[in-house]
Amino acid sequence: MKKLIATAWLIGTVFLACPPQGFCDDQEEATRIQERAEKGDAAAQFRLGRMYERGQGVAENINQAVMWYRKAALQGLAEAQQHLGTMYRTGHGVPKDDGLAQMWLRKASEHGGRPPSTGAAATTIAGAAAAPPPAPTSGKVDAGPLREQAEQGDAQAQFKLGVMYIKGEGVPKDAREAVRWWRKAAEQGDAKAQRSLGWACYTGEGVSRDAREAVRWYRKAAEQGDAAAQFNLGVMYQEGQGVPRDIEESVQWYRKAAERGDAEANLLLGEMYANGKGVPKDAREAVRWYRKIAERGDARAQSNLGVMYANGEGVSRDTEEAARWYRKAAEQGDARAQVNLGLAYDKGEGVPKDQVLAHAWIGAAATNGSGDVAARAAAERDKLEKRMRPEQITKGQALTREWLQKYPAGGRRP
């Protein structure tokens, strides 16, 4: 295993604790949680998944558990993403799939336990580009003029009105009404509406969950060149959701999305080639896909590209170039890049040896990261402190505090 932290393939298995005893096994409480979950509360969805997995307060049902975990994960809840990734990694309740495990574990690491985005409409499968993009707005939204256009058959207005309903902007939040307007636009051939309708069918927002119907709408949008739909269709083939599982077909759709600039598809293809998951291992090809979005500012790809240079995989080994890419990602709050940049300073690889800067970057990673990334950073910081003078540690801690304000967790994406 590489010493450097490259991708989410290195994130360890973490099982989360169940809510306190007396909570899960209370059927009345389970009913209340289900009501909240069905209204889109991500935390409730995750708890309900745990209850179904353990048979606490409800009949044990691993398929129901996976469904609720997925709903919470799609909203960006790090705990659900972590747990779902672990399930794919171990084959517990789902077919074992290292690629999907990687995607979900990476998302969990990036969120670092932060609250999910507002509303399930904020994400698509595996955290791709937003399914229903935000309606253009400035201050308070007036749905009246848009509704008039929508009722006259304007497909773009119908799509935008659906977005307003899914978000509750200018109208009461109503997923069923959102689906109704998206369907009108989708049947006129609007690709964004088709993709959004596919997302609704996949997640069960405003319509019965139907993976086959999701695939049908994703395909319509994908065939029109919608990159996010192409990526989502690739995920459906990789998961075997609504279609027979077909990794080759999955890769073809990822490639189409990546060639249209979809950041998630670029990153995923890079990781698949780097690790030989679903495609022949090809470090040069991995570097090519990473570079495409690293140069557009994607912190995750910048971090991975730094690892490739540090290890001489797909490129000539160049520690200075590795440090340059680590810095770009680290200054965007990417914890993996921060710990790798800190280790570079500690060893003097690609940068001048400097224990204070090493301590500062590794300390930032320990706070910004989560799971094994944070644990690794904390361990490296503790080892480093044994070789430092007290005044150096104090300086490093001061820089860490400064950088946590300046470079918060997250990382920019194109």
Side-chain angles (χ1 to χ4, degrees):
M1 183 179 291
K2 304 294 183 184
K3 289 186 178 180
L4 296 169
I5 299 174
T7 69
W9 293 98
L10 304 184
I11 296 174
T13 301
V14 177
F15 286 97
L16 299 165
C18 184
Q21 188 176 5
F23 179 88
C24 287
D25 57 3
D26 186 328
Q27 291 184 354
E28 292 182 2
E29 189 69 25
T31 300
R32 287 194 290 271
I33 289 175
Q34 180 141 1
E35 289 175 357
R36 288 165 46 204
E38 289 174 348
K39 291 178 180 178
D41 185 313
Q45 290 169 345
F46 174 68
R47 286 191 172 186
L48 189 58
R50 295 292 286 175
M51 295 167 79
Y52 273 111
E53 184 175 3
R54 295 179 176 222
Q56 294 172 310
V58 292
E60 184 175 335
N61 187 323
I62 192 64
N63 292 329
Q64 283 290 309
V66 171
M67 183 192 77
W68 287 110
Y69 289 148
R70 195 186 308 278
K71 283 178 178 286
L74 287 166
Q75 293 202 62
L77 188 70
E79 293 91 339
Q81 292 169 334
Q82 177 80 40
H83 197 73
L84 193 56
T86 297
M87 294 179 81
Y88 275 112
R89 194 172 192 176
T90 61
H92 172 59
V94 291
K96 187 173 181 179
D97 189 315
D98 286 341
L100 291 174
Q102 176 193 15
M103 284 196 297
W104 286 118
L105 291 170
R106 184 186 71 233
K107 297 302 295 181
S109 177
E110 289 164 1
H111 283 128
R114 289 173 290 152
S117 51
T118 302
T123 53
T124 59
I125 299 173
T137 175
S138 176
K140 189 175 181 180
V141 180
D142 181 6
L146 195 64
R147 187 183 300 278
E148 289 180 10
Q149 296 174 38
E151 289 174 346
Q152 290 171 11
D154 185 306
Q156 289 188 9
Q158 291 169 343
F159 165 69
K160 291 177 182 178
L161 189 58
V163 173
M164 292 173 72
Y165 271 109
I166 203 73
K167 290 179 171 289
E169 293 181 352
V171 293
K173 189 172 182 178
D174 188 332
R176 290 184 181 276
E177 192 67 3
V179 167
R180 187 173 76 87
W181 286 109
W182 283 339
R183 192 178 301 279
K184 287 178 179 290
E187 288 173 350
Q188 293 193 66
D190 186 280
K192 290 180 181 178
Q194 290 169 341
R195 184 227 304 162
S196 297
L197 191 54
W199 168 86
C201 291
Y202 181 82
T203 60
E205 287 289 325
V207 67
S208 298
R209 189 174 187 276
D210 187 333
R212 289 186 180 182
E213 190 70 357
V215 166
R216 186 171 78 87
W217 287 111
Y218 280 148
R219 192 183 305 280
K220 285 180 179 290
E223 289 173 350
Q224 292 196 64
D226 185 283
Q230 290 170 339
F231 176 79
N232 287 353
L233 189 55
V235 173
M236 300 298 274
Y237 273 106
Q238 187 173 1
E239 284 194 348
Q241 292 273 344
V243 287
R245 191 167 186 265
D246 187 331
I247 296 299
E248 289 185 6
E249 187 72 7
S250 171
V251 170
Q252 290 304 311
W253 285 110
Y254 289 149
R255 192 181 302 277
K256 287 177 184 289
E259 288 170 350
R260 287 185 169 271
D262 185 275
E264 295 291 338
N266 274 272
L267 186 69
L268 181 58
L269 277 175
E271 290 173 345
M272 292 175 79
Y273 278 109
N275 295 284
K277 302 296 181 179
V279 292
K281 189 171 183 178
D282 187 332
R284 288 181 182 273
E285 192 71 359
V287 167
R288 184 171 79 88
W289 289 111
Y290 286 151
R291 194 182 302 278
K292 281 178 178 288
I293 54 170
E295 291 175 347
R296 289 163 51 198
D298 189 291
R300 302 162 301 173
Q302 290 170 343
S303 179
N304 288 354
L305 192 55
V307 171
M308 303 299 278
Y309 273 106
N311 294 331
E313 295 178 343
V315 289
S316 299
R317 188 171 188 270
D318 188 333
T319 56
E320 290 187 7
E321 190 70 0
R324 185 175 77 86
W325 285 111
Y326 288 153
R327 188 181 307 280
K328 286 178 179 290
E331 290 181 351
Q332 295 189 66
D334 185 279
R336 291 173 297 145
Q338 289 172 338
V339 71
N340 282 342
L341 183 58
L343 291 172
Y345 272 112
D346 183 36
K347 298 172 183 177
E349 294 184 348
V351 290
K353 188 177 178 69
D354 189 319
Q355 288 184 323
V356 172
L357 292 179
H359 187 279
W361 282 117
I362 293 172
T367 300
N368 275 341
S370 66
D372 281 5
V373 176
R376 171 78 187 281
E380 293 290 349
R381 181 186 57 196
D382 292 345
K383 287 193 295 185
L384 179 59
E385 287 180 353
K386 293 177 181 178
R387 297 183 277 113
M388 296 175 69
R389 299 188 305 276
E391 61 270 23
Q392 289 179 306
I393 294 173
T394 300
K395 287 181 181 179
Q397 290 171 337
L399 280 175
T400 292
R401 289 191 294 271
E402 178 185 335
W403 290 346
L404 287 173
Q405 293 293 320
K406 191 174 181 181
Y407 311 126
R412 189 171 78 83
R413 304 175 191 180

